Every structure is written in C-alpha cells, then in structure tokens.
Amino acid sequence: MAGAIIENMSTKKLCIVGGILLVFQIIAFLVGGLIGENAEVSMDVSLAYRDDMFAEWTEMAHERVPRKLKCTFTSPKTLEHEGRYYECDVLPFMEIGSVAHKYYLLNIRLPVNEKKKINVGIGEIKDIRLVGIHQNGGFTKVWFAMKTFLTPSIFIIMVWYWRRITMMSRPPVLLEKVIFALGISMTFINIPVEWFSIGFDWTWMLLFGDIRQGIFYAMLLSFWIIFCGEHMMDQHERNHIAGYWKQVGPIAVGSFCLFIFDMCERGVQLTNPFYSIWTTDVGTELAMAFIIVAGICLCLYFLFLCFMVFQVFRNISGKQSSLPAMSKVRRLHYEGLIFRFKFLMLITLACAAMTVIFFIVSQVTEGHWKWGGVTVQVNSAFFTGIYGMWNLYVFALMFLYAPSHKNYGEDQSNGDLGVHSGEELQLTTTITHVDGPTEIYKLTRKEAQE
C-alpha cells in the first residue's frame, strides 16, 4: 500500500478552486513479467482530509479504481534489457471541485487476485508518481479581483441601459431585449461565488462554473446571429425571436448536449472524485468525437457569421449611395453612425474568432493530460484576456445601444434633422434614438428618410 500526504500550500494565502491528480507509473521490464495486452490495473484508493496536523483524518471517498495501462518498451525484449522501464501514458486519477482543506491523505493499494485476474499481467510496478494540476494562489488573486471589480461594473451599466429603454414611449425591440439578456448572462458569470470556497467545501464549484460558462456561450452565440439578422434588409421577419429558430435552435441543442456531456463526468465526480470518462475506450472515443465535432461546428458557425456580416456591410454600402443627396448635417450624422456600426461589426467578428479559438484550445488543453499526444498551453494571461474582452464587448454594446435621453426634432419642410450646434455631439455619440430602434437598424429596414 502506498500513501501520500498532500499539503495545500495555497490555502495559507487564498483558497484554490478545483484540483486534478494524475498518476504516472514506473514499470520495469522483466522477461517473465511482461505487460499483457489490454492490461488493466485496479487500485483500491481512499481520500481523506484534515486542517490540523494533530487532528483526525476525515474520509472523503473510497473507491475501486480500474485504469487501463498503455505502455511501450522501446528496447528489444531480451534478458540484457531487464530492469529498464516502460514508457507509460499518464492515467487520469482524481478530480475534485474544491480544495478547501489544508492537508489531504491519499492511500493507494494494488490488491492481487489471480483467480479473478485482478492486477495480473501488469508488469513489475517499481514506483508511482503523482502529478497535480491546480489553480495557484497568484492567479487566484488576479481572478478574484477581476470578478469582484467587473460584477458591479456590468450590473450598473445593465441597470442604466434598461432604465433608458423603459423611459421610451415605445416597447423594447428584440435587439434591445437580447442585449439586456446578454448583460444578465455576463453578470451571472461574473458573480464571484468563488469567494465562498474559502469558508465552504463546495465540491460542485467546477460543475457550476461550467454551467455558467455554457449559458454565456449560448447567449453570446445567439446574440451574434440576432444582431446581424436584425440589420439585414432581406430579412422579412424582424423583431420576432421565432424568426431565428433555425439558427438559434441548433445553438440550444448544442448547449444542451454540452451540459449532458459535462454531467456525465463532473456530475458523477460530485460523489466519486476518481471517476473519469477517459478511463474506457468507448468514453475516450465519445469525448474525442465530442471535442472534434464541437470544434468543427464552431468553425462553421464563425464562417456563417462572417457571411452574415458581409451581407450587412453590402446592405449598408448600398444605402451609402443616397448620402450625398442629404444635407451636410444629416450626411455627417449618418456617416458617423455607419462608421461606428462597421467598426462594431468588425469588433464582433474579432470577438467571435477569439471565442472560438479559446473554446477549442481550452478543450484540447483540458483533455491533454487525459489522452496525451498534443501539447497546448493556455497561460493565465490568455484566459483573463478573453474574459476581459467579453466584459468590454458587453459593456460597449449596452453603452452604444442605450437610447439617447434627448429628443431631436425633424424639419418637415426639407426632411433634414433639426439639430442645433450644441446637440450635434450628443446625437452622434450613440447609434440609437429615443422614439424608435437604432438608426442603423432603421436605415437597413428602409425606414430612414432619404
């Protein structure tokens, strides 16, 4: 039996969230003790914790853990090479959602039963090494600080945005509702519930974080479809969510499949931290297929989004031909709106591209220690950068699409906007109007007076 006491050094500064433990076995080659085909090692493991060196251990889990060995021997299998070690893949061993205690005790037994062929034909195990992956204290401080600062920031701009909409004489349009829903999902993912992990041992933190991120992914992908669709002239059914069921429906189905896939592993790990979907051939193939299919679907989604943005740009470019016939004030007003709108669309494409890259890279990284083969490193700067980009993007959307609180009259004699010199700056700071939907939205819907 092997035992190991693991000290959570980061709890001296700040509690960390989540931890993964991997097993690396050192197996020696013996002519009479070869590793059999499809060999499986069965480990009797138990996990316990305590917060004081002199306190009693409290058991967290006790399971029989089977793992398939995947080892290769690069040298010829002769007597002169006895004692050399196999090259074995790392085995997924344990994953817990919260590392809230200071000391953990891990006991590993390798019981042998020749009649039941348990731990038979696995070679001579010389040593077992453990590799731990966790969220370190330095990153935890930065991550908690970002969430603590961004939560009230997005919440305040969201309340301000919705207050501006409710002050209008018209009901909110679909685009404004979707932007508000996006703000809610961003606030939901921002809420720093990780602070509670300092005083509570919440093992469901990783699962809860995945659910929050999945909701935000679904909302963000749906918003981009609706955002582009509402600004396309050849879209007949506007301002109705039912008109986007063909695009939003697959996103909802994909998000539900993602939730089921996550529950198949992290849902089970709530009661059995030693469970892993990667331990069986079928589970590994399903997980790999899911990651590949998800990556392909996201790439196709991004190409479709690029096509929609191209359509929007083409529609607006066609409308720009009517600008020279307008008065100078009106022309400058619309030119400013179109420039800012095109810039926002390009930022949308850049945000979508980075989101797709982040999702694929994060999935590959998470599975690297589980299937081996491809090494992709995602550092904390990239992770926090994508998170900050999402917040800035949502903040910019609510600011730009918040209706202006000023009313601007219209000169009926010549059809030009009646804008005073002192109001011209305010008029061109946003792309919305108090008495109707966004002016770019109206422009593409042929509602702007030419």
Side-chain angles (χ1 to χ4, degrees), residues 134-349:
H134 66 275
Q135 182 175 303
N136 61 50
F139 174 78
T140 301
K141 290 182 179 179
V142 175
W143 185 243
F144 280 25
M146 286 186 64
K147 284 203 162 190
T148 304
F149 170 75
L150 290 173
T151 299
S153 302
I154 296 298
F155 180 77
I156 291 173
I157 190 68
M158 183 179 65
V159 173
W160 173 81
Y161 168 79
W162 192 247
R163 181 175 176 272
R164 287 296 186 94
I165 292 178
T166 55
M167 291 173 60
M168 297 185 297
S169 58
R170 62 171 178 85
V173 296
L174 175 62
L175 184 60
E176 293 167 337
K177 294 178 182 178
V178 174
I179 292 176
F180 182 68
L182 184 63
I184 294 177
S185 63
M186 189 77 258
T187 304
F188 182 55
I189 199 175
N190 280 343
I191 298 175
V193 295
E194 291 83 358
W195 280 110
F196 293 100
S197 63
I198 297 177
F200 302 94
D201 186 13
W202 289 348
T203 57
W204 45 264
M205 287 295 293
L206 287 178
L207 178 62
F208 181 64
D210 288 345
I211 293 175
R212 290 197 297 173
Q213 192 168 354
I215 293 174
F216 177 74
Y217 272 134
M219 192 65 242
L220 189 62
L221 297 180
S222 302
F223 165 76
W224 284 331
I225 294 295
I226 297 174
F227 178 61
C228 294
E230 289 293 287
H231 291 93
M232 292 173 61
M233 287 194 309
D234 52 356
Q235 194 96 359
H236 299 292
E237 296 182 1
R238 286 196 178 98
N239 204 25
H240 297 286
I241 189 64
Y244 298 95
W245 70 270
K246 292 182 180 180
Q247 296 88 357
V248 178
I251 296 175
V253 173
S255 300
F256 179 75
C257 293
L258 179 65
F259 171 74
I260 296 299
F261 175 79
D262 207 41
M263 288 296 297
C264 289
E265 183 169 36
R266 286 187 172 163
V268 178
Q269 287 173 351
L270 295 178
T271 56
N272 180 14
F274 303 103
Y275 174 80
S276 176
I277 197 173
W278 301 88
T279 56
T280 62
D281 293 336
V282 176
T284 300
E285 291 176 358
L286 288 176
M288 285 290 294
F290 166 79
I291 294 175
I292 294 173
V293 171
I296 293 175
C297 291
L298 278 177
C299 292
L300 293 176
Y301 170 87
F302 178 72
L303 293 177
F304 178 70
L305 184 64
C306 291
F307 173 74
M308 294 189 70
V309 172
F310 171 76
Q311 291 286 86
V312 173
F313 277 16
R314 188 181 64 176
N315 295 339
I316 294 179
S317 297
K319 284 294 181 178
Q320 282 183 292
S321 60
S322 62
L323 295 183
M326 299 180 181
S327 66
K328 182 179 180 180
V329 173
R330 187 177 180 86
R331 185 179 71 254
L332 292 176
H333 169 60
Y334 275 108
E335 286 178 350
L337 292 177
I338 292 173
F339 173 79
R340 280 187 295 278
F341 178 75
K342 287 185 175 181
F343 181 77
L344 180 60
M345 293 299 291
L346 293 177
I347 294 297
T348 297
L349 279 182

